[in-house]
Amino acid sequence: MKFLDLPQLSPLQHALNHDLGESILVSRIEAYSCKRAGSDKKLARSLESDAFRALATSPFGPMTESASRKTLLYLVSTLNAAYVDYDFTNTSPEQFRKEHTTQIAINSIDSTLSGVLGPSYAALRERIWATIELEMQLPKCTVYSYLPEIDDPFTEDGTLWSFNFFFYNKTLKRLLYFSCRAISKTSAQANDPRMFDPSDERVAEDSSDEESWGAYDQDVANNMEW
């Protein structure tokens, strides 16, 4: 998977990062092109194993079908690209769930973030989904969620809760990864220098720079279809 540097997504991601008092909220809103990178070759070979091909059913359809294995490859490759200190190669199809509709996934994200951030999320919500719509064409997306197990960043000590959604547009050959996790400030994760720092002044600048968003907001509004 190739990370797509879409400049309008980064401010949204920073705006969702919050100090929650006893924990910090760390967010990712990232887009990826569904093109195989060199590191995807090992994973692709593992998905051709008899164990995977024998699965008659999965969230992606029968694993005997190439399209089903390819979708799993995209999701696992995205996790590997997003969290380079972890290896998701052995992630099974059962650790993903296909959402019934795109709107159900949106409602789930809205419900969680509204409960955690309150008015702060209400002020961002329209901008977030309008921007994602512009980049991903939401009505044409299939949405999957990831169910954490062990040995991943979402089950480490100190992670209080998390969600992980993948918006996959087969036509655009593009995938958007939307993830949030709350991490206790007393955990080792919170002290990782690579982790989001709630005092980072860049976040406040990005999320409050209304003037820089003006023209883009109008462009987004003109292209909303959902």
Side-chain angles (χ1 to χ4, degrees):
M1 302 292 284
K2 181 181 179 182
F3 173 74
L4 298 175
D5 186 11
L6 303 180
Q8 299 302 338
L9 293 182
S10 181
L12 300 178
Q13 176 175 296
H14 286 309
L16 285 179
N17 291 335
H18 268 70
D19 185 331
L20 301 177
E22 296 183 354
S23 63
I24 58 176
L25 180 63
V26 180
S27 307
R28 285 179 181 267
I29 305 178
E30 300 175 342
Y32 292 84
S33 171
C34 297
K35 295 181 179 180
R36 289 190 187 181
S39 57
D40 296 334
K41 293 180 180 179
K42 176 184 176 182
L43 176 59
R45 287 195 297 269
S46 72
L47 295 183
E48 295 300 323
S49 68
D50 292 340
F52 275 106
R53 294 173 70 93
L55 294 173
T57 61
S58 79
F60 317 108
M63 294 304 288
T64 52
E65 297 181 2
S66 174
S68 300
R69 298 194 300 276
K70 186 179 293 185
T71 302
L72 175 60
L73 170 67
Y74 292 154
L75 303 193
V76 175
S77 295
T78 296
L79 289 171
N80 279 336
Y83 303 98
V84 295
D85 292 334
Y86 299 83
D87 186 359
F88 293 86
T89 301
N90 294 321
T91 301
S92 67
E94 290 80 6
Q95 286 179 251
F96 295 95
R97 178 179 62 206
K98 183 178 180 180
E99 301 298 320
H100 291 297
T101 67
T102 300
Q103 191 59 51
I104 287 176
I106 293 173
N107 292 345
S108 177
I109 293 172
D110 285 346
S111 177
T112 300
L113 293 180
S114 293
V116 173
L117 301 177
S120 295
Y121 182 66
L124 287 169
R125 182 197 176 278
E126 183 175 353
R127 179 176 293 167
I128 288 173
W129 291 115
T131 303
I132 293 175
E133 159 62 22
L134 188 64
E135 301 292 354
M136 294 299 300
Q137 300 176 12
L138 284 171
K140 298 180 181 179
C141 287
T142 303
V143 186
Y144 299 92
S145 55
Y146 172 68
L147 309 175
E149 287 196 356
I150 58 173
D151 299 327
D152 65 31
F154 318 107
T155 55
E156 286 189 344
D157 181 50
T159 299
L160 305 178
W161 58 264
S162 66
F163 66 68
N164 298 271
F165 288 93
F166 304 82
F167 294 79
Y168 171 44
N169 188 315
K170 184 177 181 180
T171 303
L172 294 179
K173 296 182 179 179
R174 179 180 291 186
L175 186 151
L176 181 129
Y177 175 53
F178 195 148
S179 171
C180 288
R181 53 181 168 145
I183 301 172
S184 171
K185 288 183 178 178
T186 62
S187 71
Q189 288 189 80
N191 296 318
D192 188 330
R194 293 168 298 180
M195 192 63 66
F196 159 66
D197 178 2
S199 65
D200 189 339
E201 294 181 357
R202 290 180 297 106
V203 176
E205 292 173 0
D206 285 339
S207 60
S208 63
D209 187 1
E210 296 297 330
E211 182 177 355
S212 65
W213 278 95
Y216 184 74
D217 279 347
Q218 185 60 50
D219 185 31
V220 166
N222 292 338
N223 284 276
M224 288 179 64
E225 299 178 0
W226 56 278

